[in-house]
Every structure is written in C-alpha cells, then in structure tokens.
Amino acid sequence: MQTLDSLTVLPDGALTSPAARRNAEAVLRVLRAHLPARGSVLEIASGSGEHAAAFAAALPDLDWTPSDPSDQARDSIAAWSRQFALSNLNPPLALDAGDPMTWPTDTFDALYCANMTHISPWSATEGLMDLAGRVSRRPGGLLALYGPYREAEVPLAESNAAFDASLKARNVDWGLRDREAVEALARSYGLAATLRVQMPANNLILLFRAV
C-alpha cells in the first residue's frame, strides 16, 4: 500500500494513522455539503479504509464502495468494515486507477479520491479522470479530490515544497500536480471544475461535475 502516513495496526488488523484522524472531520464537512443526500459513492485509492468507514457511518443514506489495488489496504478496509458493521459500506474493490481492466461497469453518483495523484504516476490521474468520465451518472455526477496541489497563482508553501522534493526523491514519477493541469485533464473527459476549497495543512479539495 503506497502511503506516507505513519500507520498503526489495531488488534483487529485495521490500519490507522494520525493524519486520517486529523483530517476526517474537515473533509467530511465539505463532502456532506456537496454529495447527494442519497445515492452511491465510489472511493478510489481508499488506503487503510479509515475514512471510508467514518464517512459511511456519517452519511448513512449513501451507499459507499471503497477500493484499492493493494491487498494490505483491502484487508484493512475489511477490518474497519467489520468494526463498524455498516450496511451501506460495501466490500472493497481491487481497483487500480491505472488499469482499466480492474474498473467497475456500474455507475455512481459521486467519486472520491484522497492523496493519490501525488503518490502515483501521472498515468494514474489520467486513468482516474477516464474512469470518472465513464462511471459518473450524468449530468452532475461529482468527482471530489483531496490533497496538496501546485497553483500558478498561489505561492507554494514551504512545507509543500519540501514534501514535493521528498516525493520525487522516492520516485521520479511522483510529486505534487499542477491544479491547472488536473483541471485541463478533467475537461478532456467531460468533467468541469466547479469548486476549490482550501483545507488545513495546505491541502485542497477540488470538485468536478460531469457535463
């Protein structure tokens, strides 16, 4: 499982991290305001599943489907699911944004993806946009991205600059993405950027709608 978080294994096998606990409530506030009241959500690159369980618990009228290509991540997601015992939290899919052979054919009202674009090659972001364009219920299907981005009009925070350098030192294909490039890519797959939300610790939530 590709993550830069400090992970702790709980007795039931679920993975937890301080970062996930810190940002869950802030992310949830934005999602609650923009997700449909009822419907289905596909989460891409769910990681440990800590967010998936928390969001499904807080939004009981949404059918939440987590996913991750990592066996370790899916095991942790399953452990969180057992712990919360939620009827609206589905078993995790072995979905890889960069591999269309793993993509579902079902449609969803919304897609959510946190902290993937900078810890993966650009081809994964291309795949994410392609997938979102295919499975979003049109018109108005939502794609929500969370994480740090570069912005031409905003000076890069020192902490994000250091983070970007550390990512590229680990893998030359990683690194903070330009928000404008992500938005242009989204447009090419029929997704319009509709909102930028400033989040704590120099992160953003970017919202896109299928048109």
mmCIF file with all atom_site columns, all heavy atoms in Angstrom, residues 139-157:
data_model
loop_
_atom_site.group_PDB
_atom_site.id
_atom_site.type_symbol
_atom_site.label_atom_id
_atom_site.label_alt_id
_atom_site.label_comp_id
_atom_site.label_asym_id
_atom_site.label_entity_id
_atom_site.label_seq_id
_atom_site.pdbx_PDB_ins_code
_atom_site.Cartn_x
_atom_site.Cartn_y
_atom_site.Cartn_z
_atom_site.occupancy
_atom_site.B_iso_or_equiv
_atom_site.pdbx_formal_charge
_atom_site.auth_seq_id
_atom_site.auth_comp_id
_atom_site.auth_asym_id
_atom_site.auth_atom_id
_atom_site.pdbx_PDB_model_num
ATOM 1   N N   . PRO A 1 139 ? -26.278 14.123 -16.081 1.00 0.00 ? 139 PRO A N   1
ATOM 2   C CA  . PRO A 1 139 ? -25.291 15.167 -15.799 1.00 0.00 ? 139 PRO A CA  1
ATOM 3   C C   . PRO A 1 139 ? -25.164 15.389 -14.303 1.00 0.00 ? 139 PRO A C   1
ATOM 4   O O   . PRO A 1 139 ? -26.032 14.976 -13.539 1.00 0.00 ? 139 PRO A O   1
ATOM 5   C CB  . PRO A 1 139 ? -25.896 16.390 -16.482 1.00 0.00 ? 139 PRO A CB  1
ATOM 6   C CG  . PRO A 1 139 ? -27.366 16.174 -16.360 1.00 0.00 ? 139 PRO A CG  1
ATOM 7   C CD  . PRO A 1 139 ? -27.589 14.682 -16.467 1.00 0.00 ? 139 PRO A CD  1
ATOM 8   N N   . GLY A 1 140 ? -24.104 16.023 -13.885 1.00 0.00 ? 140 GLY A N   1
ATOM 9   C CA  . GLY A 1 140 ? -23.960 16.443 -12.498 1.00 0.00 ? 140 GLY A CA  1
ATOM 10  C C   . GLY A 1 140 ? -23.238 15.482 -11.587 1.00 0.00 ? 140 GLY A C   1
ATOM 11  O O   . GLY A 1 140 ? -23.065 15.766 -10.403 1.00 0.00 ? 140 GLY A O   1
ATOM 12  N N   . GLY A 1 141 ? -22.791 14.317 -12.113 1.00 0.00 ? 141 GLY A N   1
ATOM 13  C CA  . GLY A 1 141 ? -22.027 13.400 -11.276 1.00 0.00 ? 141 GLY A CA  1
ATOM 14  C C   . GLY A 1 141 ? -20.802 14.092 -10.706 1.00 0.00 ? 141 GLY A C   1
ATOM 15  O O   . GLY A 1 141 ? -20.129 14.864 -11.400 1.00 0.00 ? 141 GLY A O   1
ATOM 16  N N   . LEU A 1 142 ? -20.484 13.829 -9.453  1.00 0.00 ? 142 LEU A N   1
ATOM 17  C CA  . LEU A 1 142 ? -19.434 14.556 -8.730  1.00 0.00 ? 142 LEU A CA  1
ATOM 18  C C   . LEU A 1 142 ? -18.151 13.743 -8.636  1.00 0.00 ? 142 LEU A C   1
ATOM 19  O O   . LEU A 1 142 ? -18.181 12.538 -8.367  1.00 0.00 ? 142 LEU A O   1
ATOM 20  C CB  . LEU A 1 142 ? -19.923 14.877 -7.313  1.00 0.00 ? 142 LEU A CB  1
ATOM 21  C CG  . LEU A 1 142 ? -18.919 15.550 -6.373  1.00 0.00 ? 142 LEU A CG  1
ATOM 22  C CD1 . LEU A 1 142 ? -18.638 16.977 -6.816  1.00 0.00 ? 142 LEU A CD1 1
ATOM 23  C CD2 . LEU A 1 142 ? -19.439 15.532 -4.932  1.00 0.00 ? 142 LEU A CD2 1
ATOM 24  N N   . LEU A 1 143 ? -17.015 14.412 -8.851  1.00 0.00 ? 143 LEU A N   1
ATOM 25  C CA  . LEU A 1 143 ? -15.706 13.879 -8.519  1.00 0.00 ? 143 LEU A CA  1
ATOM 26  C C   . LEU A 1 143 ? -15.072 14.825 -7.519  1.00 0.00 ? 143 LEU A C   1
ATOM 27  O O   . LEU A 1 143 ? -14.945 16.031 -7.781  1.00 0.00 ? 143 LEU A O   1
ATOM 28  C CB  . LEU A 1 143 ? -14.816 13.763 -9.761  1.00 0.00 ? 143 LEU A CB  1
ATOM 29  C CG  . LEU A 1 143 ? -13.330 13.463 -9.493  1.00 0.00 ? 143 LEU A CG  1
ATOM 30  C CD1 . LEU A 1 143 ? -13.148 12.101 -8.842  1.00 0.00 ? 143 LEU A CD1 1
ATOM 31  C CD2 . LEU A 1 143 ? -12.512 13.570 -10.788 1.00 0.00 ? 143 LEU A CD2 1
ATOM 32  N N   . ALA A 1 144 ? -14.671 14.308 -6.358  1.00 0.00 ? 144 ALA A N   1
ATOM 33  C CA  . ALA A 1 144 ? -14.033 15.106 -5.310  1.00 0.00 ? 144 ALA A CA  1
ATOM 34  C C   . ALA A 1 144 ? -12.614 14.589 -5.089  1.00 0.00 ? 144 ALA A C   1
ATOM 35  O O   . ALA A 1 144 ? -12.420 13.400 -4.815  1.00 0.00 ? 144 ALA A O   1
ATOM 36  C CB  . ALA A 1 144 ? -14.835 15.029 -4.016  1.00 0.00 ? 144 ALA A CB  1
ATOM 37  N N   . LEU A 1 145 ? -11.638 15.481 -5.212  1.00 0.00 ? 145 LEU A N   1
ATOM 38  C CA  . LEU A 1 145 ? -10.237 15.144 -4.969  1.00 0.00 ? 145 LEU A CA  1
ATOM 39  C C   . LEU A 1 145 ? -9.747  15.899 -3.735  1.00 0.00 ? 145 LEU A C   1
ATOM 40  O O   . LEU A 1 145 ? -10.048 17.080 -3.563  1.00 0.00 ? 145 LEU A O   1
ATOM 41  C CB  . LEU A 1 145 ? -9.365  15.539 -6.160  1.00 0.00 ? 145 LEU A CB  1
ATOM 42  C CG  . LEU A 1 145 ? -9.721  14.969 -7.531  1.00 0.00 ? 145 LEU A CG  1
ATOM 43  C CD1 . LEU A 1 145 ? -8.679  15.414 -8.554  1.00 0.00 ? 145 LEU A CD1 1
ATOM 44  C CD2 . LEU A 1 145 ? -9.807  13.453 -7.484  1.00 0.00 ? 145 LEU A CD2 1
ATOM 45  N N   . TYR A 1 146 ? -8.945  15.210 -2.912  1.00 0.00 ? 146 TYR A N   1
ATOM 46  C CA  . TYR A 1 146 ? -8.365  15.842 -1.725  1.00 0.00 ? 146 TYR A CA  1
ATOM 47  C C   . TYR A 1 146 ? -6.858  15.630 -1.755  1.00 0.00 ? 146 TYR A C   1
ATOM 48  O O   . TYR A 1 146 ? -6.371  14.536 -2.053  1.00 0.00 ? 146 TYR A O   1
ATOM 49  C CB  . TYR A 1 146 ? -8.949  15.241 -0.446  1.00 0.00 ? 146 TYR A CB  1
ATOM 50  C CG  . TYR A 1 146 ? -8.203  15.656 0.809   1.00 0.00 ? 146 TYR A CG  1
ATOM 51  C CD1 . TYR A 1 146 ? -8.470  16.877 1.423   1.00 0.00 ? 146 TYR A CD1 1
ATOM 52  C CD2 . TYR A 1 146 ? -7.217  14.842 1.363   1.00 0.00 ? 146 TYR A CD2 1
ATOM 53  C CE1 . TYR A 1 146 ? -7.774  17.271 2.565   1.00 0.00 ? 146 TYR A CE1 1
ATOM 54  C CE2 . TYR A 1 146 ? -6.516  15.229 2.501   1.00 0.00 ? 146 TYR A CE2 1
ATOM 55  C CZ  . TYR A 1 146 ? -6.800  16.446 3.094   1.00 0.00 ? 146 TYR A CZ  1
ATOM 56  O OH  . TYR A 1 146 ? -6.104  16.835 4.217   1.00 0.00 ? 146 TYR A OH  1
ATOM 57  N N   . GLY A 1 147 ? -6.110  16.669 -1.416  1.00 0.00 ? 147 GLY A N   1
ATOM 58  C CA  . GLY A 1 147 ? -4.667  16.541 -1.305  1.00 0.00 ? 147 GLY A CA  1
ATOM 59  C C   . GLY A 1 147 ? -3.972  17.858 -1.609  1.00 0.00 ? 147 GLY A C   1
ATOM 60  O O   . GLY A 1 147 ? -4.621  18.885 -1.819  1.00 0.00 ? 147 GLY A O   1
ATOM 61  N N   . PRO A 1 148 ? -2.638  17.871 -1.645  1.00 0.00 ? 148 PRO A N   1
ATOM 62  C CA  . PRO A 1 148 ? -1.881  19.087 -1.959  1.00 0.00 ? 148 PRO A CA  1
ATOM 63  C C   . PRO A 1 148 ? -1.686  19.228 -3.467  1.00 0.00 ? 148 PRO A C   1
ATOM 64  O O   . PRO A 1 148 ? -1.503  18.231 -4.177  1.00 0.00 ? 148 PRO A O   1
ATOM 65  C CB  . PRO A 1 148 ? -0.541  18.846 -1.255  1.00 0.00 ? 148 PRO A CB  1
ATOM 66  C CG  . PRO A 1 148 ? -0.365  17.352 -1.320  1.00 0.00 ? 148 PRO A CG  1
ATOM 67  C CD  . PRO A 1 148 ? -1.747  16.764 -1.246  1.00 0.00 ? 148 PRO A CD  1
ATOM 68  N N   . TYR A 1 149 ? -1.719  20.467 -3.944  1.00 0.00 ? 149 TYR A N   1
ATOM 69  C CA  . TYR A 1 149 ? -1.517  20.751 -5.372  1.00 0.00 ? 149 TYR A CA  1
ATOM 70  C C   . TYR A 1 149 ? -0.672  22.008 -5.533  1.00 0.00 ? 149 TYR A C   1
ATOM 71  O O   . TYR A 1 149 ? -0.658  22.878 -4.658  1.00 0.00 ? 149 TYR A O   1
ATOM 72  C CB  . TYR A 1 149 ? -2.868  20.952 -6.081  1.00 0.00 ? 149 TYR A CB  1
ATOM 73  C CG  . TYR A 1 149 ? -3.682  19.686 -6.179  1.00 0.00 ? 149 TYR A CG  1
ATOM 74  C CD1 . TYR A 1 149 ? -4.548  19.313 -5.156  1.00 0.00 ? 149 TYR A CD1 1
ATOM 75  C CD2 . TYR A 1 149 ? -3.553  18.835 -7.273  1.00 0.00 ? 149 TYR A CD2 1
ATOM 76  C CE1 . TYR A 1 149 ? -5.270  18.138 -5.225  1.00 0.00 ? 149 TYR A CE1 1
ATOM 77  C CE2 . TYR A 1 149 ? -4.280  17.660 -7.351  1.00 0.00 ? 149 TYR A CE2 1
ATOM 78  C CZ  . TYR A 1 149 ? -5.132  17.316 -6.323  1.00 0.00 ? 149 TYR A CZ  1
ATOM 79  O OH  . TYR A 1 149 ? -5.842  16.136 -6.401  1.00 0.00 ? 149 TYR A OH  1
ATOM 80  N N   . ARG A 1 150 ? 0.007   22.104 -6.672  1.00 0.00 ? 150 ARG A N   1
ATOM 81  C CA  . ARG A 1 150 ? 0.655   23.345 -7.070  1.00 0.00 ? 150 ARG A CA  1
ATOM 82  C C   . ARG A 1 150 ? -0.380  24.245 -7.745  1.00 0.00 ? 150 ARG A C   1
ATOM 83  O O   . ARG A 1 150 ? -1.258  23.762 -8.463  1.00 0.00 ? 150 ARG A O   1
ATOM 84  C CB  . ARG A 1 150 ? 1.789   23.071 -8.060  1.00 0.00 ? 150 ARG A CB  1
ATOM 85  C CG  . ARG A 1 150 ? 2.999   22.382 -7.463  1.00 0.00 ? 150 ARG A CG  1
ATOM 86  C CD  . ARG A 1 150 ? 4.059   22.163 -8.533  1.00 0.00 ? 150 ARG A CD  1
ATOM 87  N NE  . ARG A 1 150 ? 5.298   21.649 -7.977  1.00 0.00 ? 150 ARG A NE  1
ATOM 88  C CZ  . ARG A 1 150 ? 6.283   22.394 -7.509  1.00 0.00 ? 150 ARG A CZ  1
ATOM 89  N NH1 . ARG A 1 150 ? 6.163   23.713 -7.522  1.00 0.00 ? 150 ARG A NH1 1
ATOM 90  N NH2 . ARG A 1 150 ? 7.374   21.848 -7.020  1.00 0.00 ? 150 ARG A NH2 1
ATOM 91  N N   . GLU A 1 151 ? -0.265  25.560 -7.534  1.00 0.00 ? 151 GLU A N   1
ATOM 92  C CA  . GLU A 1 151 ? -1.174  26.506 -8.164  1.00 0.00 ? 151 GLU A CA  1
ATOM 93  C C   . GLU A 1 151 ? -0.375  27.699 -8.663  1.00 0.00 ? 151 GLU A C   1
ATOM 94  O O   . GLU A 1 151 ? 0.429   28.269 -7.912  1.00 0.00 ? 151 GLU A O   1
ATOM 95  C CB  . GLU A 1 151 ? -2.242  26.977 -7.175  1.00 0.00 ? 151 GLU A CB  1
ATOM 96  C CG  . GLU A 1 151 ? -3.127  25.854 -6.647  1.00 0.00 ? 151 GLU A CG  1
ATOM 97  C CD  . GLU A 1 151 ? -4.178  26.369 -5.689  1.00 0.00 ? 151 GLU A CD  1
ATOM 98  O OE1 . GLU A 1 151 ? -3.803  26.666 -4.531  1.00 0.00 ? 151 GLU A OE1 1
ATOM 99  O OE2 . GLU A 1 151 ? -5.348  26.481 -6.090  1.00 0.00 ? 151 GLU A OE2 1
ATOM 100 N N   . ALA A 1 152 ? -0.601  28.076 -9.912  1.00 0.00 ? 152 ALA A N   1
ATOM 101 C CA  . ALA A 1 152 ? 0.176   29.161 -10.517 1.00 0.00 ? 152 ALA A CA  1
ATOM 102 C C   . ALA A 1 152 ? 0.002   30.467 -9.765  1.00 0.00 ? 152 ALA A C   1
ATOM 103 O O   . ALA A 1 152 ? 0.947   31.264 -9.647  1.00 0.00 ? 152 ALA A O   1
ATOM 104 C CB  . ALA A 1 152 ? -0.236  29.326 -11.977 1.00 0.00 ? 152 ALA A CB  1
ATOM 105 N N   . GLU A 1 153 ? -1.205  30.701 -9.228  1.00 0.00 ? 153 GLU A N   1
ATOM 106 C CA  . GLU A 1 153 ? -1.497  31.991 -8.606  1.00 0.00 ? 153 GLU A CA  1
ATOM 107 C C   . GLU A 1 153 ? -1.252  32.005 -7.091  1.00 0.00 ? 153 GLU A C   1
ATOM 108 O O   . GLU A 1 153 ? -1.444  33.040 -6.444  1.00 0.00 ? 153 GLU A O   1
ATOM 109 C CB  . GLU A 1 153 ? -2.951  32.391 -8.887  1.00 0.00 ? 153 GLU A CB  1
ATOM 110 C CG  . GLU A 1 153 ? -4.014  31.585 -8.143  1.00 0.00 ? 153 GLU A CG  1
ATOM 111 C CD  . GLU A 1 153 ? -4.374  30.265 -8.776  1.00 0.00 ? 153 GLU A CD  1
ATOM 112 O OE1 . GLU A 1 153 ? -3.597  29.775 -9.611  1.00 0.00 ? 153 GLU A OE1 1
ATOM 113 O OE2 . GLU A 1 153 ? -5.428  29.709 -8.425  1.00 0.00 ? 153 GLU A OE2 1
ATOM 114 N N   . VAL A 1 154 ? -0.821  30.889 -6.530  1.00 0.00 ? 154 VAL A N   1
ATOM 115 C CA  . VAL A 1 154 ? -0.625  30.784 -5.079  1.00 0.00 ? 154 VAL A CA  1
ATOM 116 C C   . VAL A 1 154 ? 0.812   30.338 -4.804  1.00 0.00 ? 154 VAL A C   1
ATOM 117 O O   . VAL A 1 154 ? 1.233   29.284 -5.292  1.00 0.00 ? 154 VAL A O   1
ATOM 118 C CB  . VAL A 1 154 ? -1.611  29.776 -4.451  1.00 0.00 ? 154 VAL A CB  1
ATOM 119 C CG1 . VAL A 1 154 ? -1.388  29.681 -2.943  1.00 0.00 ? 154 VAL A CG1 1
ATOM 120 C CG2 . VAL A 1 154 ? -3.053  30.170 -4.760  1.00 0.00 ? 154 VAL A CG2 1
ATOM 121 N N   . PRO A 1 155 ? 1.593   31.106 -4.037  1.00 0.00 ? 155 PRO A N   1
ATOM 122 C CA  . PRO A 1 155 ? 2.955   30.673 -3.698  1.00 0.00 ? 155 PRO A CA  1
ATOM 123 C C   . PRO A 1 155 ? 2.929   29.311 -3.001  1.00 0.00 ? 155 PRO A C   1
ATOM 124 O O   . PRO A 1 155 ? 2.076   29.062 -2.139  1.00 0.00 ? 155 PRO A O   1
ATOM 125 C CB  . PRO A 1 155 ? 3.455   31.770 -2.753  1.00 0.00 ? 155 PRO A CB  1
ATOM 126 C CG  . PRO A 1 155 ? 2.618   32.967 -3.080  1.00 0.00 ? 155 PRO A CG  1
ATOM 127 C CD  . PRO A 1 155 ? 1.269   32.436 -3.451  1.00 0.00 ? 155 PRO A CD  1
ATOM 128 N N   . LEU A 1 156 ? 3.839   28.456 -3.386  1.00 0.00 ? 156 LEU A N   1
ATOM 129 C CA  . LEU A 1 156 ? 3.902   27.117 -2.799  1.00 0.00 ? 156 LEU A CA  1
ATOM 130 C C   . LEU A 1 156 ? 4.421   27.204 -1.370  1.00 0.00 ? 156 LEU A C   1
ATOM 131 O O   . LEU A 1 156 ? 5.490   27.767 -1.114  1.00 0.00 ? 156 LEU A O   1
ATOM 132 C CB  . LEU A 1 156 ? 4.813   26.223 -3.639  1.00 0.00 ? 156 LEU A CB  1
ATOM 133 C CG  . LEU A 1 156 ? 4.842   24.739 -3.276  1.00 0.00 ? 156 LEU A CG  1
ATOM 134 C CD1 . LEU A 1 156 ? 3.474   24.097 -3.517  1.00 0.00 ? 156 LEU A CD1 1
ATOM 135 C CD2 . LEU A 1 156 ? 5.913   24.010 -4.092  1.00 0.00 ? 156 LEU A CD2 1
ATOM 136 N N   . ALA A 1 157 ? 3.656   26.663 -0.432  1.00 0.00 ? 157 ALA A N   1
ATOM 137 C CA  . ALA A 1 157 ? 4.060   26.663 0.969   1.00 0.00 ? 157 ALA A CA  1
ATOM 138 C C   . ALA A 1 157 ? 5.379   25.904 1.134   1.00 0.00 ? 157 ALA A C   1
ATOM 139 O O   . ALA A 1 157 ? 5.624   24.919 0.426   1.00 0.00 ? 157 ALA A O   1
ATOM 140 C CB  . ALA A 1 157 ? 2.976   26.035 1.829   1.00 0.00 ? 157 ALA A CB  1
#
